[in-house]
Amino acid sequence: KAGVTQTPRYLIKTRGQQVTLSCSPISGHRSVSWYQQTPGQGLQFLFEYFSETQRNKGNFPGRFSGRQFSNSRSEMNVSTLELGDSALYLCASSFTSGSSEQYFGPGTRLTVT
Amino acid sequence: ELKVEQNPLFLSMQEGKNYTIYCNYSTTSDRLYWYRQDPGKSLESLFVLLSNGAVKQEGRLMASLDTKARLSTLHITAAVHDLSATYFCALLSGGYQKVTFGTGTKLQVIP
């Protein structure tokens, strides 16, 4: 079956703008988690959505938000972009929330100039 | 707060040699993962370890878990160039799907 898909794959934005990233999980998976990967901070958990509800949130400012739709697709939004938001954003899907193996998408490479 | 430390951060080794990557963590966890990441690519799941004493092997890689010592190891046997990548350990904790990643170990296997 098809894997996790993320769109767009690459994105260049200017400071102060906002951006929306999309993630389509594996069919049947109801949990979607988002991660930010940077050379300095490594891989950091952003948040998890399960059945359209945010179940857990990492230590990121309120500029980072997300949502999940009834078909389990998820979007992540970053407002008022800063240079430090440049990163690889990975989403991962799993069948359930908690103790379920995650499958990662290819990521969206965001560059903020 | 769960903390996950890996060492070494960088590892350069010759083909045919053996080496071990260590993953230490600070609190109890529901399960431990090992992932591989090639440059510019996403994460590929290697192993999932669920219980104390768990050992899993795939090809030249073997992972083990000691929950009492809060330690997992990833052992590389007779390394080949294709194993060059960054390896992450990660732990699931907190009941929900929150995964905390280690710092990663960048492995370079020299032919």
Side-chain angles (χ1 to χ4, degrees):
Chain A
K1 54 185 173 183
V4 179
T5 58
Q6 290 186 247
T7 57
R9 294 292 311 279
Y10 303 92
L11 203 50
I12 300 175
K13 288 287 188 178
T14 305
R15 272 182 303 175
Q17 288 186 315
Q18 75 166 20
V19 67
T20 299
L21 311 182
S22 180
C23 173
S24 292
I26 292 171
S27 178
H29 284 192
R30 295 168 62 193
S31 170
V32 174
S33 299
W34 289 89
Y35 297 86
Q36 181 197 65
Q37 185 176 27
T38 60
Q41 298 299 316
L43 273 155
Q44 293 184 287
F45 172 80
L46 279 157
F47 30 62
E48 183 219 355
Y49 285 87
F50 178 76
S51 294
E52 302 178 64
T53 302
Q54 188 181 89
R55 302 294 292 272
N56 215 336
K57 193 177 191 310
N59 297 324
F60 279 83
R63 300 185 296 108
F64 291 81
S65 63
R67 59 177 175 169
Q68 187 180 34
F69 302 95
S70 58
N71 62 357
S72 295
R73 188 177 70 86
S74 177
E75 288 183 347
M76 189 191 93
N77 184 274
V78 188
S79 62
T80 319
L81 284 166
E82 301 176 0
L83 294 178
D85 297 333
S86 295
L88 179 67
Y89 290 89
L90 294 165
C91 90
S93 80
S94 56
F95 182 67
T96 62
S97 179
S99 300
S100 181
E101 187 168 0
Q102 292 186 327
Y103 298 84
F104 283 82
T108 294
R109 173 74 63 185
L110 171 65
T111 301
V112 182
T113 62
Chain B
E1 182 183 335
L2 174 62
K3 297 210 181 292
V4 184
E5 293 182 351
Q6 277 182 247
N7 66 83
L9 297 183
F10 300 98
L11 177 57
S12 182
M13 57 192 297
Q14 288 187 316
E15 280 192 330
K17 298 293 187 181
N18 304 332
Y19 210 85
T20 300
I21 298 171
Y22 297 88
C23 174
N24 292 273
Y25 54 97
S26 59
T27 64
T28 56
S29 171
D30 296 325
R31 58 181 57 190
L32 188 140
Y33 306 94
W34 283 97
Y35 291 96
R36 167 182 172 147
Q37 186 177 39
D38 292 295
K41 301 293 180 65
S42 188
L43 296 169
E44 174 191 353
S45 178
L46 294 174
F47 301 107
V48 180
L49 302 171
L50 301 178
S51 58
N52 188 44
V55 177
K56 289 197 174 180
Q57 183 164 5
E58 180 73 33
R60 301 175 187 274
L61 301 177
M62 183 175 72
S64 66
L65 178 62
D66 182 344
T67 58
K68 294 179 181 177
R70 295 178 184 165
L71 171 69
S72 180
T73 60
L74 181 66
H75 187 73
I76 303 153
T77 302
V80 293
H81 181 67
D82 285 350
L83 289 179
S84 297
T86 299
Y87 293 85
F88 292 92
C89 66
L91 284 95
L92 180 70
S93 64
Y96 296 125
Q97 203 70 354
K98 180 177 180 178
V99 177
T100 301
F101 282 85
T103 49
T105 296
K106 186 172 183 178
L107 171 67
Q108 181 184 39
V109 181
I110 304 168

